Amino acid sequence: SQKIEQNSEALNIQEGKTATLTCNYTNYSPAYLQWYRQDPGRGPVFLLLIRENEKEKRKERLKVTFDTTLKQSLFHITASQPADSATYLCALGEDTGFQKLVFGTGTRLLVSP
Amino acid sequence: GAVVSQHPSRVICKSGTSVKIECRSLDFQATTMFWYRQFPKKSLMLMATSNEGSKATYEQGVEKDKFLINHASLTLSTLTVTSAHPEDSSFYICRGQDLNTEAFFGQGTRLTVV
């Protein structure tokens, strides 16, 4: 069966450290993968998109890797801050039109001062 | 910048009544609007996809007569939960998509049916 798995347990780290979140998928052939941030009671906010032919993408303190052999994406936040505390969702799509997104359950990140 | 404005953010209604949720795309044209439902600590579950001017496509298991979707223009889509029951209580989120890669989510609506 098809699955997108993110660690359901919260990730607790100290301010200034690098947070690394994992997204594993099974029985999908994604054309791209996206990462979103979701705060409690709010809709997700788009962060980064990485395509299947890309290994790594960066945006400010964020870095995403995509390994289609391992069927895994890693999401890194360097120099983490308490304001980075939120739930982070990965989503993948097999279509080239960026329409059909399938979401993981998200991982909650808690950055303590 | 482009955003999707979703209203109301919270609504409490009595069992048996109907509730309408609106999503408006600002500064872009949402050719497609997606409607999701999210349970606590669960993934976003796609309910239906609507394109402007045509009937919505519902996912398996979603009752189209219960969750009425209207996408009358490129900037407005509505979801009406008809004859709401306590089990319909959930967090509903819309997502507007234009022709680019980025998706714009609404702020979400917390529906509580009492």
Side-chain angles (χ1 to χ4, degrees), chain A residues 4-103:
Chain A
I4 303 174
E5 293 178 299
Q6 293 184 258
N7 197 335
S8 57
E9 290 180 17
L11 177 64
N12 288 278
I13 64 165
Q14 223 168 357
E15 183 175 10
K17 302 288 186 189
T18 296
T20 299
L21 302 166
T22 306
C23 177
N24 295 298
Y25 58 90
T26 308
N27 291 326
Y28 282 105
S29 297
Y32 59 92
L33 198 142
Q34 297 180 340
W35 283 87
Y36 290 81
R37 170 185 173 138
Q38 187 175 23
D39 291 288
R42 309 287 291 177
V45 174
F46 172 82
L47 296 174
L48 279 168
L49 161 77
I50 188 164
R51 291 180 168 83
E52 61 176 329
N53 60 348
E54 297 174 318
K55 294 252 186 267
E56 183 179 296
K57 222 38 168 329
R58 290 176 185 261
K59 180 182 176 183
E60 297 172 353
R61 293 186 296 113
L62 309 180
K63 184 177 88 171
V64 171
T65 62
F66 193 6
D67 189 326
T68 54
T69 302
L70 290 178
K71 299 186 187 302
Q72 179 182 80
S73 174
L74 299 178
F75 177 78
H76 307 272
I77 305 176
T78 57
S80 58
Q81 304 163 2
D84 295 326
S85 298
T87 296
Y88 292 87
L89 307 169
C90 71
L92 58 81
E94 296 180 308
D95 63 307
T96 54
F98 303 100
Q99 300 279 311
K100 290 187 173 294
L101 287 176
V102 184
F103 286 85

